[in-house]
Amino acid sequence: MNKTKELSLNGILIALVAIATMAIKVPVPATEGYIHLGDSMIYLASILFGWKTGLIAGGLGSALADLFSGYAHWAFPTLIIKGLEGLIIGKIVHQTARNTSLRIKDIIAAFIGGGWMVLGYYLAGAVLTNSLIVPLSSIPWNIIQAVGGAIIVFPIIFAIIKSNILDYLNN
């Protein structure tokens, strides 16, 4: 992929992550955070385009959503947590060449990345609330967010793979 396409794709995916994160927010009062659909787009970016795109789109898109949505106190932890989520997923998925179908490895990678997200937000919540107890309430919500993101995105990824649009983007 040439640099112009790569830059354009990263910008589009940063925006998609931010929009998916901001579109539907369910507040979690105990941690002063929220759950959302943004993970679905982090999964998409990482699985289809690799760890660098997942890192950039996941970290920047999610942090921008926090800043634009009134959750600025979460922006820096989100930058790290979501960026690493994208990196982890992309590294697991892209150890072998992509074929023309959705793979079990893609699903496993999403759940490992989602698991990191749950742990990362628990740890960040512990720091922000100065308590190991308070952020426990965020764990079930973050699990729902991770699983919901996977349920939403895998049919989309399947359709994108079948459409052959990736051949155009990678040339």
Side-chain angles (χ1 to χ4, degrees):
M1 180 180 310
N2 70 43
K3 291 292 181 189
T4 303
K5 277 186 186 178
E6 184 178 353
L7 182 61
S8 299
L9 180 65
N10 285 339
I12 290 167
L13 290 169
I14 289 167
L16 279 174
V17 170
I19 291 166
T21 301
M22 294 174 7
I24 299 173
K25 295 185 299 237
V26 179
V28 180
T31 60
E32 297 179 357
Y34 60 100
I35 65 167
H36 52 79
L37 302 176
D39 287 85
S40 63
M41 293 301 107
I42 295 171
Y43 299 160
L44 184 140
S46 303
I47 290 169
L48 293 180
F49 303 107
W51 71 268
K52 289 179 188 174
T53 300
L55 172 75
I56 293 166
L60 291 177
S62 298
L64 286 170
D66 281 349
L67 288 172
F68 295 152
S69 297
Y71 293 88
H73 59 288
W74 278 105
F76 183 69
T78 292
L79 176 71
I80 294 167
I81 294 164
K82 297 294 188 164
L84 288 175
E85 180 181 14
L87 180 140
I88 290 165
I89 294 166
K91 283 287 191 179
I92 292 169
V93 167
H94 286 273
Q95 291 174 351
T96 58
R98 164 142 315 274
N99 56 18
T100 58
S101 66
L102 193 60
R103 306 169 299 183
I104 294 296
K105 182 188 273 192
D106 299 335
I107 296 166
I108 292 168
F111 284 102
I112 291 172
W116 154 251
M117 182 270 296
V118 172
L119 175 62
Y121 275 113
Y122 169 76
L123 296 172
V127 170
L128 289 175
T129 62
N130 200 26
S131 170
L132 294 174
I133 304 301
V134 171
L136 288 173
S137 65
S138 71
I139 291 174
W141 294 105
N142 283 327
I143 291 171
I144 290 168
Q145 177 175 301
V147 173
I151 290 169
I152 289 166
V153 82
F154 283 118
I156 297 168
I157 290 173
F158 181 77
I160 289 170
I161 291 169
K162 291 298 181 189
S163 75
N164 295 323
I165 195 167
L166 296 175
D167 293 338
Y168 168 74
L169 291 172
N170 290 320
N171 288 328

